[in-house]
Amino acid sequence: MKFSLVKKLLLVIIILTQLTNLVFSQEKIDNSEKNVEALLSKISEYEYGLNRTPLADLSLIVKQKLNGEKSDYDLETKLLDVLKTNASFDGKQFLCRQLSLIGTEKSIEQLIAMLKDCKTSDMARYALEKIKSNNVDIALIDILDNVEPEIKIGIINSLGNRKSEIAVDKLGKLVLDNNSDVAASAASALGKIGSSHSAEVLSQLLNKTKNIIHDVLIDSYLLCADKFLLDENNKAAEEIYSNVLANENSSVQKIAALNGSVLASPNNKSSIILKYLQSDDPQLNQAAAQEVRKLSTENEFEKIITNFNSFNDKTKIQVIYSIKELQNPYFHNLVLANAERGSDDVRIAAIDCLEKLATVDDVQFLANLALGNNSEIDNAARLTLDKISGKEIDKKIINLIVTSPPEIQVELIRSIGERKTQSAFPNIVQTAKSTNQKVRLESYKTLELISDPNQLDKLLIVFLDIENPAELKRMENTLAKVSLKNENENERAEKFLETFDKTNDFEKQMSLLRILGSTGDSRALKHIKASLKNENEDVQKTAIQSLYNWPNIEPIYDLLDIVKTNKNSTLQILALRGFINLVKANGQNENAPVVDLYKTAMEYSKSDNEKIMIISGIGDVQTLEALNFTSPYLNNNSLRPEAEIACINIISKVGWTNPEESLQVIETILKNPTSSEIQKEASRIKNNILSK
């Protein structure tokens, strides 16, 4: 089998090779002198939009020449001959692009002549820039004083792009030109050249310029320094960076110089960073704080730690966040000290930083801090306590729960929940039996977060021991949420049904009955349906209420039966509300006769509140039938506001497919809208429908 695969791969390679050779053989163009002249004749008349085949063919001939293919004529001369004629602009532009690939000193004279003409200047410069000869630079420099400013600027840019060392002195003089555009271009070109000589000229010019030109000079000066840095000439780079930092330059330029200075002085970077952390310039403070992330040795760290108190608060905060990025434990004591005392803003930053630097010994400190009387500090401590990672931290929190006073226990238990520390389950089960109510309540909340369905037995033991009604309700919520973690809904009710049969405590039975209503388990539904027929009215009420959140529509007709036949008005109202809830929850269920169910609910509704619930629910149904049911209630003053909202919601979905019916309802709303918002939205939808 392996051999067969190898043979297939070899066959594929052979085929691909043949195809490649075929493509290259097809690309090869006749490069005879006769064919080239024919192509050039067509290119001389070429204008944008015409057939590009001659251009493509000549491009391939140029590539063949670059690949070493010989010919008995000089292709470069052929191209230059066409440039000397009255060839079209687009044709000349194409030929200049080809000369940028194969041009030599032969092309200089013709291209310089074209350079002097504004119409052909740019295309000529494009070709000249690529020709490797000092004679190009000489020719460009020679004509600088004899051309219009626009062309002069182009030549200056080309000299910069060519990194022409011999042009530096001339460019230096042009920086002082009366034409600001020429001056700025010359200053920029010196930066592109980036040589020692251009840096020297830039340095001499700094005191002779101002405003925009001065800014361009500084940018170019920094470019020179950056080039020195790349060339590992750190001393020259640092000299420039220091010069920029020491003088009145923009904050952006100084920040760039600071970044470069740190890179150029690896053995002195901590001193440089410290200097600007203590500066009076807020932006340099911030930039220096960012540079703290580049420190790597304990000696460098120590300089920051020793001088930390000399920084202003904003700088302290920025340094702390850089320390957080470093995540180096050497800073631990500094961060801890600032978390304990200082301004609130600095303390909050330090507390946040402890997320990366805290040790097990800091857990107690953070728990204590969370109990303070400063809400911002408290919240910061809680967040950090919740985010510190590591099993050792988990163990420390668990151990502290046992030995801490109740107020600390509450904070630690809360954190166990946020951290989802499942290993703490036995410990939280124990704290759920605490003599302190706050500890118990926090334990119930945390058990909801860390428990899994396999632990329901132990949770139910806790549940059965609860006597306080409020606590029972909280634990009821925990049990319901934990059961829902079981993906198989028909396994969710078993433990609750067993416990229901074992206990004689009525309140706990009712609590279990409510829990069963959230499970979706078929056995739970059977039990609830039986409870609907119980002689005890309280049991019936609880059973009805337990179905309010049933996950599907199955029990809806049981509720409807109560609405229709039960003589107890309280039970009727409860059942109707449950019926409406289930219809609303299944509003998008294509298999449910939702509108018919809403009609039935409306038939038995006695109060406006119930009718408003129905209208609100049907507003989510995206059918014409739902619109036809809802729109008549626009004529009922008590129900109109809710009916307007419902109709607009429905029309926003079905208006495009049912424009006539929708527009009729919109017009009814616009005749007497109950609010400006309704009027605005109805008008918008009307305009959208009409525009379609």
Side-chain angles (χ1 to χ4, degrees), residues 255 258-259 262 273 276-277 282-295 314-315 317-323 325-326:
I255 289 169
L258 174 58
N259 295 339
V262 170
I273 292 169
Y276 293 100
L277 286 172
Q283 290 180 300
L284 280 177
N285 292 160
Q286 184 176 353
Q290 294 289 323
E291 294 298 313
V292 168
R293 302 176 191 194
K294 295 177 182 175
L295 301 179
K314 285 187 177 179
T315 303
I317 291 167
Q318 290 157 353
V319 170
I320 286 170
Y321 282 115
S322 287
I323 288 171
E325 291 292 323
L326 283 171

Side-chain angles (χ1 to χ4, degrees), residues 138-155:
I138 293 169
L140 290 173
I141 295 167
D142 283 347
I143 66 166
L144 265 175
D145 293 330
N146 302 313
V147 292
E148 298 175 13
E150 185 178 345
I151 296 175
K152 182 181 290 189
I153 290 168
I155 294 171

Side-chain angles (χ1 to χ4, degrees), residues 193-218:
I193 294 169
S195 66
S196 297
H197 185 32
S198 64
E200 182 182 352
V201 170
L202 285 165
S203 177
Q204 293 168 355
L205 288 165
L206 290 177
N207 294 326
K208 300 178 182 179
T209 57
K210 56 184 179 179
N211 301 331
I212 295 174
I213 304 303
H214 184 81
D215 282 343
V216 178
L217 280 175
I218 293 296

Side-chain angles (χ1 to χ4, degrees), residues 564-582:
K564 289 181 176 181
T565 64
N566 200 299
K567 296 178 181 179
N568 185 316
S569 61
T570 301
L571 296 179
Q572 282 183 315
I573 292 170
L574 288 173
L576 180 61
R577 290 178 180 174
F579 180 91
I580 295 169
N581 279 346
L582 286 183

